């Protein structure tokens, strides 16, 4: 539902998405555009995105541009005032709000969360008494992070959600391993509610949106509908064309993780405050020390993937540090990229699933055009049949199953998505992986083209080793032995969706 992975390795010229050719009227390679407006219009057309809004900040220069429509039925044009769901970019807002509360003495990042939420239930007793806000904000809490059940629209939605956390699988001890956690931000939101004595959304509005001067940042559909707003669009296939993504509202309990609706203009204002180390228009919203701490590495996100700070995804290069976050909700794709050292920020909001491709290409063009920078592309390497074969098998988690087999000098993945409540199949995809390290692979086809997948051996408490797959920041565990040949890879295998990998 929310951001698939905020720390992707996104080499320039390697678009995300299904392995489909670009429309015939556009070249396969991105042209050398001479302006942001041309780049946005062209890439929106090249990837057939219904609507897109982009804002760019570079020192004193600020520019916004837009293309396309907000809704395939109403055909209203997108402008820089159009609000979109920004998905998990909301996490940076939640972390910023928490830093304000830290400075007020209401929170401490390194105190166990159970201090603030004494009724917190977790499956692991040790984790319950040791997990901190720093763990939550850097995706190091160790418990399963994807739960998108709806606990209603009442002010008790977050509390009801947290009450079921004892059924979340505890994958690792807190601080041991990075993996993406929406649920960790639910708990952070509940912690904020407890110390402030008010619903999370009200605290966010009164202590961050309003002091920051954000006039059109909202959470709820009834608020968004009063503003010029986009709706999300799905693209089941090129033949079928776009459909409007139904169910605009997200469950209220996910708001701290991904519920904000806003515009590129307001995202740029938020980014400007962080570039200026917490200051905006003469007002210091968080201290310089807090702003810098947020974009300092706290959890290693894995080889080729950078780090995670307090709310920010971080990539370090010889030239400078890039911090940012992406977002993905029903039919929306979004990205905020910030280079504080160069006073640079880029906000991209789209209302179609292929927006990920346009975002990647526009970001790559802007970094090159304004900063003369191109992300390095890791070289593919050769691994022998034995090393590839040792990684094959069936890796399962509560909401999906990966059947991995060897295909020549690559790995083939057959993925099946499962409904987290019923266990029924929701979607499927097949794609190829090429090795860029001994246990590190890049997807070269399929719905996550360019994404990095990592195979991890993690010691278990009984002295054995657990074989894990980290894909889109999420973990799956191998419960089936290696698959010896590609022919067998189509079989799900006995017990491939075992209860141990389920969380809800």
């Amino acid at each position: 539902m929310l951001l698939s992975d905020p720390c992707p390795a996104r080499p320039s010229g390697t678009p995300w998405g299904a392995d489909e050719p670009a429309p015939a009227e556009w070249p396969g390679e991105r042209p050398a555009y001479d302006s942001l407006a041309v780049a946005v219009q062209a890439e929106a057309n090249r990837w057939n995105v219904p609507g897109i809004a982009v804002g760019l900040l570079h020192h004193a220069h600020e520019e916004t541009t837009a293309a396309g429509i907000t809704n395939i039925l109403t055909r209203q044009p997108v402008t820089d005032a159009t609000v979109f769901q920004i998905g998990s970019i909301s996490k940076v807002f939640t972390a910023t709000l928490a830093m304000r509360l830290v400075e007020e003495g209401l929170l401490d990042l390194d105190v166990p969360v159970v201090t603030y939420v004494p009724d917190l239930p977790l499956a692991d007793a040790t984790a319950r008494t040791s997990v901190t806000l720093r763990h939550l904000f850097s995706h190091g809490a160790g418990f399963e992070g994807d739960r998108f059940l709806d606990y209603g629209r009442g002010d008790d939605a977050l509390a009801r959600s947290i009450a079921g956390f004892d059924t979340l699988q505890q994958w690792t001890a807190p601080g041991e391993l990075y993996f993406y956690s929406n649920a960790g931000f639910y708990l952070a939101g509940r912690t904020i509610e407890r110390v402030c004595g008010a619903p999370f959304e009200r605290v966010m509005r009164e202590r961050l949106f309003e002091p920051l001067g954000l006039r059109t940042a909202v959470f709820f559909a009834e608020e968004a509908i009063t503003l010029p707003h986009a709706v999300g669009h799905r693209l089941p296939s090129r033949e079928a064309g776009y459909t409007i993504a139904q169910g605009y509202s997200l469950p209220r309990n996910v708001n701290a993780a991904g519920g904000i609706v806003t515009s590129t203009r307001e995202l740029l204002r938020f980014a400007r405050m962080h570039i200026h180390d917490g200051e905006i228009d003469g007002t210091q919203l968080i201290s310089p020390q807090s702003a810098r701490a947020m974009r300092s590495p706290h959890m290693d996100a894995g080889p080729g993937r950078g780090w995670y700070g307090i709310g920010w995804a971080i990539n370090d290069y010889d030239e400078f540090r890039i911090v940012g976050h992406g977002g993905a909700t029903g039919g929306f794709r979004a990205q905020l990229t910030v280079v504080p050292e160069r006073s640079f920020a880029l906000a991209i909001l789209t209302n179609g699933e292929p927006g990920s491709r346009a975002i990647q290409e526009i970001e790559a063009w802007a970094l090159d055009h304004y900063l003369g920078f191109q992300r390095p592309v890791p070289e593919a390497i050769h691994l022998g049949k034995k090393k590839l074969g040792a990684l094959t098998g069936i890796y399962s988690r509560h909401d999906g199953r990966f059947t991995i087999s060897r295909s020549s000098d690559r790995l083939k993945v057959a993925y099946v998505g499962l409904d987290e409540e019923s266990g029924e199949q929701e979607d499927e995809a097949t794609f190829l992986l090429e090795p860029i390290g001994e246990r590190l692979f890049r997807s070269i086809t399929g719905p996550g083209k360019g994404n990095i997948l990592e195979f991890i051996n993690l010691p278990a408490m009984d002295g054995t080793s657990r074989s894990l797959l980290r894909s889109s920041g999420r973990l799956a565990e191998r419960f089936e032995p290696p698959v010896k040949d590609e022919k067998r890879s189509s079989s799900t295998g006995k017990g491939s969706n075992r209860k141990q990998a389920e969380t809800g």
Side-chain angles (χ1 to χ4, degrees):
M1 178 185 294
L2 302 178
L3 171 70
S4 58
D5 185 359
C7 299
R10 296 181 296 145
S12 175
T14 306
W16 290 331
D19 189 31
E20 302 167 349
E25 63 270 23
W26 286 101
E29 295 297 322
R30 182 181 64 252
Y33 305 117
D34 62 2
S35 73
L36 180 67
V38 171
V40 170
Q41 182 71 61
E43 291 301 317
N45 289 341
R46 187 153 76 107
W47 301 112
N48 190 26
V49 180
I52 184 168
V54 177
L56 183 139
L57 175 67
H58 190 213
H59 296 293
H61 173 71
E62 183 170 327
E63 180 180 356
T64 59
T65 188
I69 56 176
T70 62
N71 184 318
I72 58 173
L73 298 181
T74 66
R75 314 293 296 182
Q76 292 295 309
V78 175
T79 73
D80 63 0
T82 302
V83 297
F84 294 70
Q85 290 184 3
I86 68 170
S88 287
I89 300 174
S90 305
K91 290 179 171 67
V92 192
F93 283 79
T94 298
T96 304
L97 171 61
M99 296 307 284
R100 295 205 77 191
L101 300 178
V102 167
E103 293 179 4
E104 292 178 28
L106 294 176
L107 289 176
D108 186 319
L109 295 183
D110 298 309
V111 167
V113 173
V114 71
T115 305
Y116 307 110
V117 188
D119 55 350
L120 170 66
L122 287 181
D124 183 87
T126 302
R128 178 183 180 275
T129 57
S130 61
V131 69
T132 66
L133 282 169
R134 192 178 299 276
H135 292 136
L136 300 181
F137 287 132
S138 59
H139 297 284
F143 53 76
E144 174 57 50
D146 278 347
R147 172 167 290 179
F148 299 117
L149 306 180
D150 192 339
Y151 292 87
R153 281 291 304 273
D155 287 350
D156 63 346
L158 261 178
R160 293 179 62 203
S161 171
I162 302 307
F165 270 28
D166 57 340
T167 61
L168 292 176
Q169 178 176 346
Q170 189 73 36
W171 285 93
T172 66
E176 183 177 2
L177 184 69
Y178 165 90
F179 59 93
Y180 196 66
S181 180
N182 286 296
F185 276 76
Y186 305 170
L187 180 52
R190 178 59 180 153
T191 304
I192 289 170
E193 287 189 336
R194 289 297 297 263
V195 300
C196 292
F200 170 78
E201 298 84 2
R202 184 194 307 167
V203 180
M204 177 66 80
R205 183 178 65 252
E206 293 177 352
R207 294 185 183 240
L208 188 57
F209 288 172
E210 291 176 357
L212 187 54
L214 304 187
R215 297 181 176 84
T216 61
V218 299
F219 282 101
F220 300 111
E222 61 267 26
E223 298 171 310
I225 202 171
T226 66
L227 303 168
H229 66 280
V231 300
H233 296 83
R234 300 191 184 280
L235 186 64
S237 69
R238 289 192 174 209
E239 295 75 21
Y242 276 109
T243 61
I244 292 177
Q246 298 302 314
Y248 181 93
S249 295
L250 301 176
R252 183 174 179 179
N253 50 287
V254 311
N255 278 345
I260 294 176
V261 180
T262 192
S263 67
T264 52
R265 287 193 309 196
E266 301 212 322
L267 266 185
L268 281 187
R269 185 169 177 81
F270 177 73
R272 185 187 292 276
M273 180 267 290
H274 273 279
I275 288 172
H276 292 167
D277 284 341
E279 183 270 332
I280 190 80
D281 295 341
T283 299
Q284 198 75 42
L285 293 185
I286 58 174
S287 70
Q289 294 80 8
S290 291
R292 293 168 192 155
M294 288 183 65
R295 55 181 189 261
S296 298
H298 290 279
M299 285 292 294
D300 185 348
R305 305 171 57 82
W307 298 77
Y308 213 94
I310 300 173
W312 288 110
I314 301 168
N315 287 103
D316 280 332
Y317 302 98
D318 292 340
E319 295 84 350
F320 41 63
R321 171 172 291 173
I322 297 178
V323 299
H325 217 295
T329 54
F332 290 94
R333 299 294 183 268
Q335 178 67 34
L336 178 62
T337 301
V338 183
V339 186
E341 296 172 48
R342 300 292 182 87
S343 296
F344 176 90
L346 182 69
I348 311 176
L349 303 177
T350 74
N351 64 344
E353 290 175 331
S356 294
R357 297 182 176 191
I359 286 171
Q360 189 269 336
E361 294 290 351
I362 293 167
E363 186 209 55
W365 172 84
L367 289 172
D368 188 15
H369 184 79
Y370 289 92
L371 304 182
F373 172 77
Q374 296 180 2
R375 294 180 189 263
V377 180
E379 295 279 344
I381 67 170
H382 174 75
L383 290 182
K385 294 180 180 180
K386 185 176 180 180
K387 289 183 177 180
L388 289 172
L391 301 174
T392 64
I394 300 173
Y395 296 76
S396 299
R397 49 178 284 114
H398 75 288
D399 59 0
R401 182 174 61 244
F402 301 80
T403 301
I404 299 180
S405 59
R406 186 178 63 81
S407 178
S408 184
D409 59 350
R410 297 166 175 170
L411 291 178
K412 179 180 179 181
V413 181
Y415 171 75
V416 174
L418 305 171
D419 179 85
E420 59 186 314
E421 290 187 275
S422 68
E424 296 180 357
Q425 180 173 329
E426 287 190 316
D427 51 56
E428 59 183 353
T430 302
F431 51 97
L432 291 175
L433 304 177
E434 65 177 6
I436 56 175
E438 288 281 330
R439 306 181 66 84
L440 200 64
F441 288 75
R442 175 173 53 214
S443 176
I444 56 175
T445 65
K449 187 174 181 180
N451 283 354
I452 302 298
L453 291 83
E454 182 183 5
F455 294 87
I456 301 170
N457 279 334
L458 195 68
M461 294 184 63
D462 60 5
T464 61
S465 179
R466 301 169 66 191
S467 296
L468 303 178
L469 172 67
R470 182 159 57 184
S471 172
S472 295
R474 276 77 168 181
L475 297 182
E477 184 168 5
R478 187 170 69 185
F479 291 108
E480 295 292 320
V483 176
K484 294 185 177 180
D485 54 54
E486 186 176 350
K487 182 178 179 181
R488 188 184 164 191
S489 69
S490 61
S491 170
T492 58
K494 186 177 177 180
S496 62
N497 187 29
R498 295 175 62 178
K499 192 68 176 176
Q500 292 152 289
E502 298 176 358
T503 64

